[in-house]
């Protein structure tokens, strides 16, 4: 039976409520003398700070800006690349209400009449949330003011505090996380972070900062990167050494289960139960043409079934949809609606719609293949999973230059054994990878150098594939200094020209591409395939050519589907950051705009 944790109390304590007391100034709403007295008071407040990923990871606005997707959404990075963002209309990320709520708790929790270990557990959780809050600010702005206590937004201490250096902010984050891992309990209510979730998050945060410092020369902090990589290694190593976690045998079970509470891969679970009013599901936003569609670049990243590189195949850029999905890394079939997929309630293989601005690939990960809304709304989301810990460890030791074959076998090796689930598992060889680095990945990540170049490139492939369309690609591109990937327009299915095409894998045509200037026949005049089913007609042309309903790179002469053509330039380092709103700078001239913003 699924176990849930429900916050006890009225709606104002729910993280989903927009006008609760934690969204206002808590010191004007809660009397510390009357509230912070018992463990239940501490739990009630801290549980009101609960903030973890849910179904939104499968349709993240930031992810839509990456090389994993094409998007029609109004996403920030797309607007930055188009020159439509400035300090005058900066994104609404400069907000501090949540921090006031966290700091208010940290100022008052010690008043509770409970044992110190109880107090410290809840303080550890609050500091964990503060660390996450500030890391998000560092990602956006690099240098921001550090507020270690509750300050009213009208106070001069808030209005006129100068930006603190990134180093001070990050050291403060480390202090918070050190306190959290030393004090947060292992056993906590289901669906809330305990010790191992905190350690896994600490490893993620340290890996982010370590690799960010290593690959971002504008910070001039390359010499300090190793400290953070060691922390990432140590925290991930602790989780691995605990023996409490293991990969679930079937990859797909992570994304379609109605109960992940007992799954040993899931370190932190976000539970849903539509019968109890806690409903998830995201079938409208994914699984078709709605704002986002996966990219061909992502499809091409997956290895072949035998472990060879897809991009080493002759003429791989001219392979069509059905051939692209033959004999691939099995995880591809959990991530995409591949040829032969049957989408309920249909009984015949799914034929995806082709439409302008979309790639033609349809996302399966996060889509629940059911017609029952209760089932769709009750599938849990793995907010933090053990697979990430393994990848963090592998990347950290490789970046540190200490990686061994044993390190790869106990991390990447386990992921591939789970993915392939067969006798012939293509494990990652340290020597072979370094002897023959992937030229396609090397071009994507030109900053990767050194004797472990090939291995590090393969670890980056593994991270992209294992967590494809789960909301982590954006941060990875940031920390790897791969901003130029944001400027790419995603491409889609390849068609060599006009004609009939099979999209289901049965060698029977399903669609027909005709000239953009041709007329689609009346229904009774449409061509039927050998199954007696009318072909679906599309008019092919170049990008935004009049009459075209599918845009191909070379128009009627074929090519991959294209989703944009206006040149985009990623300005380095400026576009790795967001501008502070101009009004904030006007009020406080001591704030420092990030690199290149004015």
């Amino acid at each position: 039976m699924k176990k849930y944790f429900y916050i006890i109390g009225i709606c104002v304590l729910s993280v989903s409520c927009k006008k609760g007391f934690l969204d206002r100034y808590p010191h004007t709403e809660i009397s510390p003398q009357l509230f912070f007295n018992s463990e239940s008071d501490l739990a009630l407040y801290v549980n009101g700070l609960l903030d973890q990923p849910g179904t939104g990871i499968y349709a993240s606005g930031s992810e839509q800006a990456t090389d994993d997707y094409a998007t029609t959404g109004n996403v920030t990075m797309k607007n930055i690349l188009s020159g439509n963002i400035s300090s005058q209309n900066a994104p609404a990320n400069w907000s501090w209400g949540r921090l006031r709520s966290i700091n208010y708790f940290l100022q008052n929790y010690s008043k509770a009449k409970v044992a110190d270990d109880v107090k410290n557990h809840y303080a550890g959780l609050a500091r964990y949330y503060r660390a996450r809050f500030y890391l998000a600010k560092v990602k956006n702005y690099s240098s921001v003011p550090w507020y270690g206590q509750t300050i009213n937004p009208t106070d001069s201490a808030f209005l006129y505090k100068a930006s603190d250096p990134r180093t001070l902010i990050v050291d403060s984050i480390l202090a918070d996380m050190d306190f959290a891992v030393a004090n947060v309990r292992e056993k906590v209510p289901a669906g809330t972070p305990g010790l191992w979730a905190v350690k896994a998050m600490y490893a993620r945060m340290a890996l982010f900062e370590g690799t960010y410092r290593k690959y971002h020369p504008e910070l001039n902090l390359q010499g300090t990167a190793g400290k953070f990589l060691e922390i990432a290694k140590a925290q991930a190593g602790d989780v691995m050494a605990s023996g409490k976690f293991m990969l679930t045998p079937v990859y797909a079970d992570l994304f379609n289960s109605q109960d992940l509470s007992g799954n040993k891969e899931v370190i932190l679970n976000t539970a849903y139960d539509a019968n109890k009013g806690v409903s998830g599901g995201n079938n409208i936003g994914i699984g078709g043409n709605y704002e986002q569609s996966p990219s061909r670049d992502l499809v091409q990243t997956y290895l072949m079934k035998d472990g060879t590189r897809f991009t080493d195949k002759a003429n791989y850029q001219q392979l069509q949809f059905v051939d692209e999905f033959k004999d691939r890394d099995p995880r591809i079939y959990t991530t995409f609606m591949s040829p032969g997929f049957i989408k309920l309630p249909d009984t015949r293989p799914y034929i995806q719609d082709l439409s302008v601005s979309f790639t033609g690939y349809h996302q399966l990960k996060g889509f629940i293949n059911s017609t029952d809304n209760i089932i769709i709304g009750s599938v849990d989301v793995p907010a933090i999973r053990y697979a990430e810990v393994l990848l963090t460890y592998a990347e950290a030791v490789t970046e540190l230059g200490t990686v061994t074959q044993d390190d790869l076998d106990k991390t990447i090796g386990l992921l591939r054994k789970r993915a392939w689930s067969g006798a012939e598992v293509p494990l990652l060889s340290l020597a072979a990878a370094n002897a023959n680095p992937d030229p396609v990945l090397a071009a994507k990540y030109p900053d990767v150098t050194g004797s472990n170049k090939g291995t590090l490139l393969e670890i980056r492939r593994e991270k992209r594939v294992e967590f494809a369309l789960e909301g982590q690609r954006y941060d990875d591109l940031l920390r790897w200094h791969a901003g130029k990937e944001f400027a790419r327009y995603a491409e889609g299915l390849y068609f060599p020209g006009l004609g009939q095409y099979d999209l289901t894998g049965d060698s029977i045509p399903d669609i027909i591409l005709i000239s953009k200037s041709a007329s689609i026949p009346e229904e009774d005049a449409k061509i039927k395939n050998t199954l007696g089913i009318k072909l679906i007609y599309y008019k092919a042309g170049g990008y935004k050519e009049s009459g075209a309903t599918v845009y191909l790179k070379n128009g009627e002469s074929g090519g991959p589907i294209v989703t944009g053509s206006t040149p985009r330039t990623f300005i380095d380092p400026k576009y790795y950051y967001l501008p502070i709103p101009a009004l904030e700078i006007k009020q406080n001239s001591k704030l420092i705009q990030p690199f290149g913003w004015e």
Side-chain angles (χ1 to χ4, degrees), residues 570-581:
F570 185 91
I571 301 176
D572 185 353
K574 180 178 180 179
Y575 286 176
Y576 284 106
Y577 308 93
L578 296 179
I580 297 173

Side-chain angles (χ1 to χ4, degrees), residues 1 27 58 95 189 285 313 315 345 386-387 392 410 487 566 584 595:
M1 183 176 182
H27 54 293
Y58 305 122
S95 57
K313 292 176 67 69
N315 300 316
Y386 185 54
T392 295
K410 68 184 182 183
T566 304
E584 301 294 337
F595 304 87

